[in-house]
Amino acid sequence: MKSKAKRLRPPGSKSVGWALVQAARLHRARIGDRLGALGLFAGQEQVVQALAAAGTMTMGDLAATLRVRPPTASKTITRLSALGMVERHTEAGDGRLVRVRLTETGLAKAEAIERIWDDVEAELLEGFDNRERRRLRKLLRRSAANLAEAAGIEGHEPEPDLDGRDDDADDAPALEQTL
């Protein structure tokens, strides 16, 4: 007897999720290759970038910013501290409260990381015009918010667009064309 089982399609044929995962893996690998030249591993750059943006953070705030558990943030800080990139300081009135900040070495690495991210972003978006870039960013942020809501993750607010453009205004004609 022949089985009338539904024939499965190739994984990437129509799946946005599959395409997203593939792009994310390739992006991560590309970033990781470039970070190796700085003596860093993938994931550590996010801590450096967060501290560069914030200045000084508590370990709890850092973990929340990165959406990781505090022990994960602490382990990464320990490794970056051993490399001379971060300093830890306990709060004067409360020894349990630890603040971390980048050293001069860490600040220099943060600048190098920023250049790496810019270079890989340019590779990622080769051939996209500014409107397509803004639209993709907006759609990915909305997708992330949808998944965060479905998973019950609180505090996952989309980051503001720093280019000063209103994505919705730019997308209105494109949306009308698709309707």
Side-chain angles (χ1 to χ4, degrees):
M1 275 184 102
K2 288 188 176 180
S3 171
K4 292 195 177 196
K6 180 180 175 186
R7 196 168 157 189
L8 298 177
R9 65 178 184 238
S13 66
K14 291 185 180 181
S15 172
V16 172
W18 180 271
L20 178 64
V21 167
Q22 295 308 308
R25 282 183 181 161
L26 290 166
H27 182 271
R28 196 81 185 129
R30 189 75 175 124
I31 292 286
D33 289 345
R34 305 277 306 272
L35 288 173
L38 297 178
L40 296 172
F41 295 103
Q44 292 176 326
E45 87 283 5
Q46 294 174 21
V47 173
V48 174
Q49 288 176 308
L51 289 172
T56 301
M57 298 179 83
T58 66
M59 291 298 292
D61 288 343
L62 180 61
T65 297
L66 300 174
R67 294 181 180 85
V68 298
R69 294 183 316 193
T72 302
S74 182
K75 186 188 307 185
T76 303
I77 290 297
T78 297
R79 289 179 179 154
L80 292 174
S81 180
L83 294 172
M85 295 178 56
V86 298
E87 298 174 328
R88 297 181 201 213
H89 299 281
T90 55
E91 194 69 21
D94 184 356
R96 298 170 297 168
L97 188 62
V98 177
R99 294 190 183 277
V100 291
R101 68 176 180 186
L102 294 176
T103 62
E104 289 299 319
T105 300
L107 289 168
K109 295 279 186 180
E111 290 176 12
I113 289 167
E114 187 72 23
R115 287 190 299 274
I116 288 171
W117 271 83
D118 288 346
D119 291 348
V120 173
E121 179 121 343
E123 294 170 355
L124 173 74
L125 299 173
E126 178 71 30
F128 287 57
D129 64 28
N130 285 338
R131 186 177 189 175
E132 291 170 321
R133 290 171 187 230
R134 285 190 306 273
R135 182 76 175 137
L136 178 59
R137 186 173 53 239
K138 179 181 177 182
L139 292 170
L140 289 171
R141 286 178 177 158
R142 189 181 335 161
S143 298
N146 288 346
L147 290 174
E149 183 179 343
I153 299 171
E154 293 183 26
H156 187 281
E157 299 297 321
E159 293 98 25
D161 232 338
L162 298 179
D163 66 5
R165 301 289 307 256
D166 180 4
D167 286 339
D168 290 327
D170 286 340
D171 294 336
L175 289 174
E176 290 172 7
Q177 290 174 358
T178 61
L179 296 177

